[in-house]
Amino acid sequence: MTSFSTQLVNLFAAVLLLIAFAMLSQRRIVALINLFALQGLALVGSTVTVAYATGQHHLYYSAGITFALKVVVLPLILHRLIRKLNVKWDIETLINIPSMMLVGIVLVIFAFNLALPISEFSRSVSRGTLGIALACVLMSFLMMITRSKAVPQVIGFLSMENGLFFAATSATFGMPMVVELGIALDVLVGMVILGVFMFQIREQFDSLDISHLEKLKED
Amino acid sequence: MDPLLVLLATPLAGGFFLWALGERDSAPEVNCAFSFATFVAAAWITEEVVSGGPITGFQEQFFVDPLNVFLVSLTAFVAFTTSLFSRPYMRTERDKGRMTPGRLRLYHSMYQVFTFTMLLALTTNNLGILWVAMEAATLATVLLVSVYRTAASLEAAWKYFILCGVGIAQALFGTILLYFAAERVLGAEGNALLWTHLNMVKGQLEPAIMSLAFVFLLVGYGTKVGLVPLHNWLPDAHAEGPTPISAVLSGLLLNVALYSVIRCKVLADGALASRFASNMMMGFGLLSIVVAAFFLSRQRDIKRMFAYSSIEHMGFVTFAFGMGGPIANFAGLLHMTVHSLVKSAIFFAVGHAAQKAGTQVMEDIRGLLRVSPRVGWGLMIGTLAILGMPPFGVFASEFLILTTAMREHPWATPILLLALGVAFAAIFSRVQPMVFGESTLKPLPYQPALAPVFIHLGLGLLLGLYIPPYLAAWYQQAAKLLG
């Protein structure tokens, strides 16, 4: 395990985190999808690096699956979806991007502190990256909370999956193959169902604004 | 032939077959036939476990032990009886125009797929596959929750999808951490996520990692159990979807999610040598019991009310497993069984009652006993059973939980009793006028399926009076396993 590959994985991790911040502040849906694809690409890069450095062959396959699913298929589905739903050039009004960035930074610090005691046990390439993975998960979570439109919420959901996947390659040498295939299948089916769902929502409400979906409350 | 293979292949094949078949008039019967075949396979497995002890299959990827064997048969049984109930129910919905042929096709196909995911989650030995199956269960049911395409049902389904999706993502992080801890002991192979292997080395797992892993796993699977404060999706999904789906969500999904939690708890307990996991479960359980009990009295929709009752009961079971020890674990397992039987029976009766009244608002359902005495009695007896009246099984398990709490955690007893009292007052005062009094209800076009209601209630009664010896033996072995 060379220090060069460690540095490379750290670089990919940093890119992942930066993209997570960029997604948090991105208002255009098209750009958001492209960022998501880019995040997938960074994930593929780090997985391949870990695979090369550790000689774990199954990681090449999992990098392949990630590439097919998160860089090609899912962004394609999303692009098709927004074209069909006619929301391609939608711009979301986000209030207070600077303060959201600050919350994001707090989340990163929190994640690093949480992951610090356990990342020492990692035998894999990079120790600090478990904290970054957790930070990515938490920031996608924040994105889902703050967005009111359906498509960005879904992208937040998918990018959470990216963070989790990164955790799997940074803490361990990736999950067993059968589990990874199962997860990929779930994500794909979930995406298709979400697509169906968005058409149903728009048909019912004439918009994809999730704030319409707040009728069911305890009275 | 391998019974495990039959058990898993039948519902999966059923899902594809019903999709390929499309909507025919015979689809409900085909659905019942597949569910019955699954039930027979489950009985076969149960028989093998009774005679030959725990079984494993497919290079240890699957296993059936005393902890999951009764859940397998329970799941297959409730899935079968619910399919019987859904025959007249769905025909009535079709005649009312709420179910189009396309929706019925989706419903029947996904019903089988959902059964498959539940059985896969129960029988798999691989904690990663367990996660995949739990997520697949959400995916199979989410389009069924929104099947009526009303504004409220779409909202319920969206909430269900997003909240459970986020929740289950936490469970995936927990699973990754668990794998991280396991890999250090078992090596980086597929075996490191097999529960039986993990159980053998649980004392060597790194405590720092395991405690964090358990927190994520509990929060993740706890979302699906409907533990407060992660319960928001549950009442909506129960109230807005078709009633057979409410019955299987309450009767099966919550059980299986809780089963995932306790499998993980066994590992965490072994690694931590402290009461950390137990205390967390007790805390979540107690909070769920209290919050759900107080929300019960504010409900107007009958299915919402019984959904909150499910949260309360799941809180009870979580609390029982949190206390631990042979008696509380025994009671927890018994409570899971009877709650699943009685609650699904209640949903069957509620489904027919709501169809008669054309509404789920409780104030508009009156005098069930006048129009159809059997639906009325089914609802009344089911309500008494779920409220913990003797001699039903719920009484037995709640009694055991309460006495254990009195002995080991006396401070919790008044809270539990208060919650039980509040729940009793809330539910009974609502159900009583619905069953008795003057009626405005109409008869149904199809003969309601009431056999499942009374079979379930009969079994709930039986478990209160007499537990068959092999079932008691499983409960005891499983309770020992849980520590």
Side-chain angles (χ1 to χ4, degrees):
Chain A
M1 200 177 302
T2 57
S3 72
F4 176 70
S5 56
T6 311
Q7 293 300 323
L8 207 57
V9 170
N10 282 341
L11 176 70
F12 282 124
V15 171
L16 222 58
L17 191 63
L18 277 176
I19 294 175
F21 270 106
M23 283 169 109
L24 207 55
S25 61
Q26 182 54 254
R27 297 188 299 169
R28 285 175 190 280
I29 288 182
V30 183
L32 210 52
I33 295 173
N34 292 339
L35 278 173
F36 170 72
L38 207 60
Q39 199 181 34
L41 206 59
L43 199 59
V44 172
S46 87
T47 312
V48 168
T49 314
V50 175
Y52 180 74
T54 59
Q56 296 280 333
H57 285 290
H58 78 273
L59 278 178
Y60 287 118
Y61 299 119
S62 86
I65 298 173
T66 313
F67 184 79
L69 190 66
K70 291 183 176 149
V71 184
V72 182
V73 178
L74 288 183
L76 272 181
I77 295 179
L78 283 166
H79 274 297
R80 237 176 88 91
L81 200 64
I82 59 169
R83 204 172 52 237
K84 280 199 167 172
L85 287 168
N86 232 346
V87 292
K88 189 161 183 184
W89 304 110
D90 265 25
I91 298 172
E92 216 176 342
T93 42
L94 287 176
I95 32 163
N96 233 340
I97 291 177
S99 66
M100 217 144 80
M101 291 282 119
L102 282 176
V103 176
I105 291 170
V106 172
L107 282 181
V108 173
I109 296 169
F110 172 73
F112 267 77
N113 272 317
L114 200 63
L116 196 62
I118 58 168
S119 59
E120 281 168 24
F121 297 113
S122 176
R123 291 181 303 176
S124 189
V125 189
S126 40
R127 293 188 165 178
T129 51
L130 189 62
I132 292 189
L134 189 57
C136 286
V137 173
L138 291 177
M139 296 213 336
S140 321
F141 199 35
L142 179 67
M143 182 176 152
M144 287 180 73
I145 294 169
T146 51
R147 297 302 175 109
S148 65
K149 292 257 164 55
V151 180
Q153 248 188 14
V154 169
I155 296 174
F157 182 71
L158 292 170
S159 102
M160 186 184 281
E161 207 79 42
N162 276 351
L164 288 168
F165 189 86
F166 188 63
T169 46
S170 65
T172 66
F173 298 116
M175 303 289 271
M177 209 58 214
V178 52
V179 177
E180 229 161 67
L181 283 173
I183 294 171
L185 184 70
D186 273 351
V187 171
L188 191 63
V189 174
M191 189 59 231
V192 172
I193 290 179
L194 277 169
V196 174
F197 224 46
M198 282 184 210
F199 284 101
Q200 293 184 359
I201 289 177
R202 205 193 42 174
E203 192 184 326
Q204 181 73 33
F205 299 101
D206 288 329
S207 114
L208 278 174
D209 204 328
I210 301 300
S211 54
H212 289 292
L213 300 181
E214 279 174 7
K215 299 285 187 306
L216 288 175
K217 279 186 179 151
E218 302 306 333
D219 25 45
Chain B
M1 245 189 345
D2 195 333
L4 264 171
L5 187 68
V6 179
L7 179 76
L8 293 172
T10 311
L12 189 62
F16 284 113
F17 183 76
L18 279 160
W19 184 259
L21 189 69
E23 179 43 28
R24 306 255 176 101
D25 209 41
S26 60
E29 278 74 27
V30 177
N31 189 33
C32 290
F34 272 106
S35 297
F36 182 69
T38 312
F39 175 56
V40 170
W44 182 12
I45 287 196
T46 310
E47 203 273 323
E48 295 226 330
V49 174
V50 169
S51 59
I55 47 176
T56 57
F58 304 106
Q59 293 150 354
E60 295 183 86
Q61 289 294 324
F62 293 91
F63 77 134
V64 183
D65 70 352
L67 178 54
N68 60 16
V69 63
F70 77 92
L71 281 170
V72 168
S73 34
L74 181 71
T75 300
F77 177 69
V78 174
F80 169 54
T81 49
T82 308
S83 74
L84 289 180
F85 158 69
S86 94
R87 261 175 61 217
Y89 185 86
M90 280 303 170
R91 291 213 162 105
T92 311
E93 294 294 281
R94 186 193 60 196
D95 288 1
K96 281 184 181 172
R98 295 180 79 189
M99 290 299 269
T100 59
R103 294 176 191 179
L104 273 170
R105 177 188 187 187
L106 180 78
Y107 167 79
H108 285 124
S109 172
M110 284 301 134
Y111 185 86
Q112 291 294 328
V113 173
F114 175 70
T115 315
F116 165 73
T117 58
M118 291 288 90
L119 291 169
L120 179 66
L122 285 172
T123 53
T124 184
N125 192 7
N126 188 324
L127 290 172
I129 299 296
L130 172 66
W131 184 88
V132 172
M134 288 306 293
E135 170 75 3
T138 315
L139 297 177
T141 40
V142 70
L143 286 179
L144 297 183
V145 171
S146 72
V147 83
Y148 293 139
R149 306 275 176 87
T150 56
S153 72
L154 278 173
E155 180 186 343
W158 182 260
K159 234 181 189 175
Y160 176 43
F161 193 108
I162 293 294
L163 283 176
C164 281
V166 170
I168 207 100
Q170 312 302 314
L172 180 59
F173 193 69
T175 310
I176 291 169
L177 289 174
L178 185 65
Y179 183 59
F180 175 29
E183 196 195 42
R184 294 162 46 79
V185 183
L186 292 169
E189 284 155 41
N191 290 347
L193 271 177
L194 295 187
W195 190 84
T196 43
H197 290 228
L198 285 167
N199 192 34
M200 277 188 280
V201 297
K202 60 186 175 188
Q204 303 166 38
L205 300 174
E206 186 57 51
I209 307 176
M210 282 304 288
S211 53
L212 193 62
F214 183 74
V215 173
F216 277 101
L217 286 165
L218 178 62
V219 168
Y221 290 130
T223 310
K224 297 214 92 169
V225 182
L227 295 177
V228 176
L230 314 158
H231 67 287
N232 268 323
W233 64 272
L234 194 146
D236 298 342
H238 278 63
E240 304 304 333
T243 307
I245 295 305
S246 320
V248 288
L249 283 181
S250 244
L252 305 181
L253 180 74
L254 306 187
N255 265 359
V256 177
L258 193 57
Y259 161 83
S260 323
V261 173
I262 55 181
R263 280 276 182 216
C264 300
K265 175 181 178 275
V266 174
L267 300 178
D269 275 346
L272 295 177
S274 72
R275 286 193 54 81
F276 173 74
S278 306
N279 289 342
M280 279 201 60
M281 284 182 75
M282 277 170 66
F284 270 109
L286 210 54
L287 189 67
S288 307
I289 298 168
V290 173
V291 171
F294 281 94
F295 268 113
L296 274 171
S297 57
R298 296 169 58 180
Q299 304 308 317
R300 297 178 64 238
D301 182 310
I302 183 162
K303 279 162 77 180
R304 270 186 99 79
M305 183 176 80
F306 282 111
Y308 272 102
S309 154
S310 290
I311 298 177
E312 188 209 353
H313 285 277
M314 282 298 131
F316 247 99
V317 183
T318 312
F319 182 76
F321 288 130
M323 284 196 295
I327 299 176
N329 283 335
F330 182 98
L333 296 167
L334 178 63
H335 199 90
M336 273 168 104
T337 315
V338 283
H339 171 258
S340 157
L341 288 170
V342 173
K343 188 52 69 63
S344 42
I346 289 178
F347 273 116
F348 300 159
V350 162
H352 285 310
Q355 274 187 333
K356 278 175 184 295
T359 172
Q360 289 173 203
V361 179
M362 286 186 275
E363 282 150 19
D364 299 336
I365 306 175
R366 286 290 179 262
L368 276 174
L369 223 45
R370 285 277 168 85
V371 192
S372 48
R374 286 183 301 160
V375 175
W377 281 120
L379 184 59
M380 197 63 201
I381 298 171
T383 304
L384 288 174
I386 206 74
L387 288 171
M389 285 288 107
F392 287 99
V394 178
F395 171 76
S397 53
E398 282 183 350
F399 183 77
L400 286 174
I401 295 172
L402 275 173
T403 46
T404 315
M406 266 178 218
R407 205 168 48 246
E408 290 172 15
H409 306 278
W411 53 270
T413 323
I415 307 176
L416 292 176
L417 283 173
L418 176 74
L420 281 177
V422 170
F424 189 96
I427 294 182
F428 195 75
S429 66
R430 293 288 160 80
V431 173
Q432 201 255 351
M434 283 166 51
V435 174
F436 302 104
E438 288 302 319
S439 174
T440 51
L441 307 177
K442 297 176 289 289
L444 290 173
Y446 296 94
Q447 184 68 22
L450 289 163
V453 179
F454 289 101
I455 293 172
H456 280 204
L457 291 176
L459 286 172
L461 181 66
L462 178 74
L463 287 174
L465 299 171
Y466 165 78
I467 300 177
Y470 56 88
L471 190 62
W474 286 337
Y475 283 160
Q476 276 157 3
Q477 282 175 34
K480 208 183 289 170
L481 197 77
L482 294 173

